[in-house]
Amino acid sequence: MSYGVTMSRATASARPPGRPRSGVNAVVFAATLRTVHELGYARATVDRIAAAAGVAKTTIYRRWPSKGELVVDCLLDAFGPVPLEGTGRAELMASAIRWIAAKISEPGVGDAFAGVFSDAVSDPALREVLAARLQEPYRVALHEALGEPDGRVLFFIDVVVGTLLHRLGMTGEPMVDADVAELVEMVVPHFGGDTGTG
Amino acid sequence: MSYGVTMSRATASARPPGRPRSGVNAVVFAATLRTVHELGYARATVDRIAAAAGVAKTTIYRRWPSKGELVVDCLLDAFGPVPLEGTGRAELMASAIRWIAAKISEPGVGDAFAGVFSDAVSDPALREVLAARLQEPYRVALHEALGEPDGRVLFFIDVVVGTLLHRLGMTGEPMVDADVAELVEMVVPHFGGDTGTG
DNA sequence: TTGGTATCGATACCTGAGGTAGCGAAACTA
DNA sequence: TAGTTTCGCTACCTCAGGTATCGATACCAA
């Protein structure tokens, strides 16, 4: 579930007073992806998501300040941490590219990603949330794993994610494996990873 | 102005009856880019664009069926044809990349592009318009100039445009020249163009 | 058991934006 | 002068994001 996870009430004053929140976050996330998958981002209204989750709309707005932040949390939950388990630089980058391509191909995930990204273009507040909560953790992880300077990592993310989202947005379909493979063959050598020649 | 341009009334029956349309398309395009630049895509409402152009909102909807199609026509007008004048393949691709990067950097153009792209994600009708009217001409031109198969040209467009839009969407600023240069250095060799190493 | 607090579902509502309908006036042709 | 189409204008419809309020409920503490 990615965030907070109560710290087993050890740190701060035991537990806040009042009726505790029911554990429906996961249900709401699932309903969000399902609704976005079935209706597209724009028609996946908060009313419909709430109905699909069997929850009142006000409950959603009590937990997330906007539809955009709900979707960002939903994507955080759907993505999870990057698997960075390759032995060499090349394998590491290639597996990261294939991982994000596969995630974006999952039903609802790519649409939700493209949709919230779109909203963020003309909503600076949401853009900061998107950059800080969704992009930053992966940027840090890649920075440490690859040893590349920040600017290069951001460029790497722009190329990989930008390409995948542009394909999805233009065609309505996620990028096929052959093209993902070509993306790997283009990007990895540029970043100094051997792709099989030594 | 890119489209139609009356054919000097030689072809079809002289001229349609009724009051002729006033030549305000260019004014509306300019007002669209200016408004999008100042307020962002979402807050650039059709009301505001009409006001900025000194035109009634109904006049705009008489000429374009939706805000999305207005913006697509506006972008067609702003982009114009690709300059494909390089001597070799490498120069040709590099100049095309620098050209679209520069266009997206122009005030309002990048925001309008990202905005309409965003709308298209959850609007299949607009997506077809975008693909057919905006992407297709450049795909054909690149296909003929480079001799690459369609799939490769579409991949080329996904990488270049996707990267530029992702950078703009995430940071709010267009890509700087140094990163555009790195994009060229990554893409051109992959497509078999020499970049200076014989 | 009683009081305090915060969440729950439900309903009603506000705002803003895309888009449409209908009007009289204006600009052109025949 | 009659016919046709665009013009600006105003009023309106629909839908989506987001807010306010209310009684009911679940928990804690005294």
Side-chain angles (χ1 to χ4, degrees):
Chain A
M1 306 300 154
S2 70
Y3 50 107
V5 206
T6 72
M7 298 185 195
S8 71
R9 83 189 59 169
T11 334
S13 57
R15 165 202 242 158
R19 175 176 178 173
R21 290 189 165 172
S22 57
V24 292
N25 278 12
V27 177
V28 174
F29 290 155
T32 300
L33 290 184
R34 193 185 340 134
T35 308
V36 168
H37 176 58
E38 290 170 1
L39 304 177
Y41 185 79
R43 294 181 56 200
T45 68
V46 177
D47 284 275
R48 275 191 257 255
I49 292 171
V55 152
K57 181 187 177 185
T58 44
T59 296
I60 290 189
Y61 277 105
R62 213 172 279 118
R63 297 175 184 219
W64 295 276
S66 69
K67 178 183 176 181
E69 299 215 27
L70 162 64
V71 175
V72 168
D73 264 7
C74 181
L75 290 173
L76 268 168
D77 182 74
F79 285 160
V82 214
L84 291 171
E85 299 151 354
T87 56
R89 283 173 55 84
E91 285 181 27
L92 220 139
M93 281 187 277
S95 69
I97 294 172
R98 285 190 216 101
W99 166 78
I100 187 64
K103 286 291 182 184
I104 288 176
S105 295
E106 288 178 11
V109 175
D111 294 294
F113 196 0
V116 75
F117 183 84
S118 304
D119 278 2
V121 170
S122 40
D123 182 345
L126 181 57
R127 182 163 62 213
E128 280 200 29
V129 171
L130 198 62
R133 310 255 318 270
L134 202 58
Q135 185 180 57
E136 186 67 6
Y138 299 115
R139 203 216 80 217
V140 171
L142 288 169
H143 169 71
E144 292 176 356
L146 298 176
E148 293 278 350
D150 288 351
R152 298 263 295 178
V153 176
L154 286 175
F155 180 78
F156 175 82
I157 293 174
D158 285 330
V159 171
V160 174
V161 177
T163 300
L164 294 169
L165 289 186
H166 189 273
R167 170 63 59 95
L168 180 67
M170 267 300 185
T171 68
E173 299 290 331
M175 185 168 269
V176 299
D177 286 350
D179 285 338
V180 174
E182 183 168 353
L183 184 60
V184 170
E185 286 168 21
M186 181 186 72
V187 171
V188 173
H190 175 78
F191 280 86
D194 293 349
T195 31
T197 52
Chain B
M1 306 300 153
S2 73
Y3 49 108
V5 205
T6 70
M7 297 185 196
S8 72
R9 83 190 58 169
T11 335
S13 57
R15 165 203 240 153
R19 175 176 177 172
R21 290 189 164 173
S22 57
V24 293
N25 277 13
V27 177
V28 173
F29 291 156
T32 301
L33 291 184
R34 192 183 344 137
T35 308
V36 168
H37 175 58
E38 289 170 2
L39 304 176
Y41 185 78
R43 295 181 54 201
T45 68
V46 178
D47 284 276
R48 276 191 257 254
I49 292 172
V55 153
K57 183 186 176 186
T58 43
T59 297
I60 290 189
Y61 277 105
R62 215 171 276 120
R63 297 177 184 216
W64 295 278
S66 69
K67 178 184 176 181
E69 299 216 28
L70 162 63
V71 175
V72 168
D73 264 4
C74 181
L75 289 173
L76 269 169
D77 181 73
F79 286 159
V82 215
L84 291 171
E85 299 150 354
T87 56
R89 282 173 57 83
E91 286 181 25
L92 220 140
M93 279 187 278
S95 69
I97 293 172
R98 286 191 216 102
W99 167 78
I100 187 66
K103 286 292 183 184
I104 289 176
S105 296
E106 288 178 11
V109 175
D111 294 294
F113 196 0
V116 74
F117 184 83
S118 305
D119 278 3
V121 169
S122 40
D123 181 346
L126 180 58
R127 182 161 63 214
E128 282 202 28
V129 171
L130 199 61
R133 309 257 316 272
L134 204 59
Q135 185 180 56
E136 185 67 5
Y138 299 115
R139 204 215 79 220
V140 171
L142 288 169
H143 169 72
E144 293 177 356
L146 298 175
E148 294 278 348
D150 288 350
R152 298 264 294 178
V153 175
L154 286 175
F155 179 79
F156 175 83
I157 294 174
D158 284 331
V159 171
V160 174
V161 177
T163 300
L164 294 170
L165 289 186
H166 188 273
R167 169 64 58 94
L168 180 67
M170 268 299 186
T171 68
E173 299 291 330
M175 185 167 270
V176 298
D177 287 350
D179 285 339
V180 174
E182 182 167 353
L183 184 61
V184 170
E185 285 169 20
M186 181 185 71
V187 171
V188 173
H190 175 76
F191 280 86
D194 293 350
T195 30
T197 51

